[in-house]
Amino acid sequence: MGGAVSAGEDNDELIDNLKEAQYIRSELVEQAFRAIDRADYYLEEFKDNAYKDLAWKHGNIHLSAPCIYSEVMEALDLQPGLSFLNLGSGTGYLSSMVGLILGPFGVNHGVELHSDVIEYAKQKLDFFIKTSDSFDKFEFCEPSFVTGNCLEISPDCTQYDRVYCGAGVQKEHEDYMKNLLKVGGILVMPLEEKLTKITRTGPSAWETKKILAVSFAPLIQPNHADSGKSRLVHLPPVAVRSLQDLARIAIRGTIKKIIHQETISKNGNGLKNPPRFKRRRVRRRRMETIVFLDKEVFASRISNPSDDNNNSEETEEERREEEETKPSELKPDPPVNFLREKVLSLPLPDPLKYYLLYYREK
C-alpha cells in the first residue's frame, strides 16, 4: 500500500512530498513527521527503502506507507493532553509521533499481538529518547505498550479520546471498536477496505466519514484452543505524575521560554533579513505563449533589448551571489541543542543536570 508520492532522499524531502500532495495538511502533523526519522524504525539492511511511500514488512515487524500514516494523523485531530490508544502498535513509530503532540499530560497506550515486536518497539523508543534532539524540542508523552490481542481488551478498561486500529476491522467488530471511545472521541480504522473516521457525538450517536481506499491485513481473531478461556488484555493504568516529574517538566518549560526570549532579543523583532544563502532572487518574466505538448509545458517570453540588458545584469548579480554563498551552503552549521547547552551551563549539581536531561546519552 502506498506509492502516492515520490520517494525522498531523506526524511525531510519525504515530508515535503507528502505536503505537496496534501497528505500532510496541518503544522502539528508536519512537525511530528519531521521530528522522527522514519529510517530509524527500519532494520539496517532495509533502510534504503525508508523514504519511499511504501509499506514495509519483515517477519512480524510492519510499517504502513507514509501517506497512510499522514492521513491517519490528520484524521485523528490530535491535541495536547488527549488520551490515545493504538491497536496494533507495531514498531511504535506512529505512537511516538502522536506522543510529540499529546505532550506531558497526555496518555499514550499501545496494544500489540507479537511480543517480539513489542521488544523491537521498546528498543526504538529508547533509542529515540537517548539520541534524538527532537526529544528536547518537544514535551513528549512516552508510549506504553502491552502484549495481547486487541479484540480481548478488558471490558472495565478506560475509554480514550483517540483510537487507531492498524489492521482491517470486520463489520462484526465495529461496535466493539466504537465502545473504546469517549463521547467526543475519534476512531480511525480500516473498515471494509476504506480508511474510516468515526466520531462519537453522543452516548449512542456517531458520525462516519470514509477517507480513502486501503488494503490492510485483517485483525487476527482470538484463539482459545489451548485453554478455552479468553486472555483479557489489561491496559496500563492512567498514572498521576509525581511531584518530582512535574517539577522537571516545569523547569524544562521555563528554560525553553528563556531560550526563546533570548533568541528574540538577539534577533531584534524577528523581522531581520534571513542569511544571504537563504535568499533567492525572483526573476520576473512576461509570458506571451504557453503550449501544452505531451504533458509538458513550454513558454516563450516577450523580449526587447532593454529586457535582455536587465536580465544580463540580473544573471551576473545572481552568479556573484551564488559564488559568495557556496561555502555556507556546503558547510551548514551543525544543529545545536539549546536546551541541553543551557541546562549544562546552569550552576547545579551534575546529578540534577542529568535528571533535567532525562539522563540522555547524547
Side-chain angles (χ1 to χ4, degrees), residues 46-101:
F46 299 102
K47 285 190 175 183
D48 288 346
N49 296 318
Y51 306 123
K52 297 177 181 178
D53 187 29
L54 297 172
W56 172 64
K57 182 172 174 58
H58 182 77
N60 291 325
I61 301 170
H62 176 263
L63 280 168
S64 292
C67 68
I68 300 297
Y69 281 136
S70 53
E71 283 288 3
V72 169
M73 291 276 285
E74 293 287 358
L76 285 170
D77 189 22
L78 297 160
Q79 303 295 330
L82 296 181
S83 56
F84 172 67
L85 176 62
N86 190 354
L87 304 175
S89 51
T91 66
Y93 172 62
L94 178 67
S95 291
S96 292
M97 288 195 293
V98 169
L100 296 174
I101 298 177

Side-chain angles (χ1 to χ4, degrees), residues 168-169 190-196 210 212-218:
V169 177
L191 181 66
E192 297 181 316
E193 301 298 310
K194 296 286 192 300
L195 188 64
T196 306
K210 303 294 185 181
L212 77 164
V214 293
S215 177
F216 277 66

